[in-house]
Amino acid sequence: QQAPQEPAMGRFESLRRGAAQGLTFGFRDELYGGLKGAYDYATGAGSFGDSYAKARDESRALDTQAQQSNPGTYLAGEVVGSLPVPGALAKAGISPMAKVAGEGLKARSLAAAKEGVAYGALYGAGKGEGVEGTTEGTITGGIGGGLVGGALPAVGDAVGGLYRGVTQPVRAMTNPKQVAAEKMA
C-alpha cells in the first residue's frame, strides 16, 4: 500500500518559500529554527535545541514540498529573492564590481568571479545539511558562482552590443539629428 501523498503546494507559496531561501542565502530554515528555538526557550515552552531542530526540519519539509510541487516557480523565487542583498551592497559601493565599473572586460570578469565565489559559497553552505553537505555545498557553490560570475560581464557586453546594433539604426532613422549630435559630442 502506498503512503498518502502530501497535497500539492500552491504556486504563490512555492514562490514565497523560494524567495525567502534566496534572500537568506539558503539559511532560512536554520534562521527560522533559531528564532523558534529562542522564543520557546524564552517563554518556557521548550528547550532551545529541541524546538530549533523541530522547526528547522518542518521548514525543510515544507520547502521540499514547495520545490517538488512547483519547481520552476520555486527556482524563480530563489533567483529573485537572491538579488536584493548583492544589489544593495553594490549600490552602497561595497561590491567588488562597483570598484571596477568603468574598467575593461578582464577586470570586470575577475571582480565578478570573486563576488560569484563568495555568494555561491555562502549559498552552497546554506543549502547544505550536516558537515559533509555544508562542505560540499560550499565548494560546489563557490565554483559555480565563480564561473557564472566571471561570465556575466562578457554576456552583458554581448547583449548590450546586440541591443545597440538593433536600436542604433532605428534611432538614426527616426531621429537623425539627435544621433548625429550624440556622435559629434
Side-chain angles (χ1 to χ4, degrees), residues 3 20-21 30 48 52 56 59 62 64-65 78 90 99 102 129 132-133 156 158 161 167 171 177 184:
Q21 275 292 75
E30 288 90 354
F48 175 83
Y52 167 81
R56 179 202 61 208
S59 182
L62 288 170
T64 299
Q65 183 184 354
E78 279 185 296
K99 296 176 176 134
E129 294 181 27
E132 188 174 306
T167 59
R171 285 184 62 231
K177 289 183 181 180
M184 290 298 290

Side-chain angles (χ1 to χ4, degrees), residues 37-183:
Y39 177 81
D40 286 354
Y41 178 75
T43 60
S47 74
F48 175 83
D50 291 342
S51 293
Y52 167 81
K54 182 179 178 198
R56 179 202 61 208
D57 293 347
E58 287 172 356
S59 182
R60 284 181 181 166
L62 288 170
D63 284 344
T64 299
Q65 183 184 354
Q67 195 170 19
Q68 290 173 348
S69 295
N70 303 292
T73 305
Y74 186 88
L75 178 62
E78 279 185 296
V79 171
V80 170
S82 71
L83 299 176
V85 173
L89 293 175
K91 188 142 181 102
I94 302 172
S95 162
M97 284 299 295
K99 296 176 176 134
V100 296
E103 295 189 28
L105 180 60
K106 183 178 178 181
R108 290 182 293 123
S109 293
L110 184 60
K114 288 178 183 177
E115 194 163 350
V117 166
Y119 288 132
L122 182 61
Y123 198 82
K127 292 289 278 189
E129 294 181 27
V131 173
E132 188 174 306
T134 301
T135 302
E136 183 180 322
T138 301
I139 292 168
T140 58
I143 291 169
L147 292 173
V148 170
L152 283 179
V155 170
D157 286 357
V159 169
L162 287 171
Y163 175 78
R164 285 186 298 282
V166 170
T167 59
Q168 273 304 94
V170 172
R171 285 184 62 231
M173 288 188 296
T174 58
N175 196 350
K177 289 183 181 180
Q178 181 180 353
V179 172
E182 287 174 5
K183 289 187 183 242

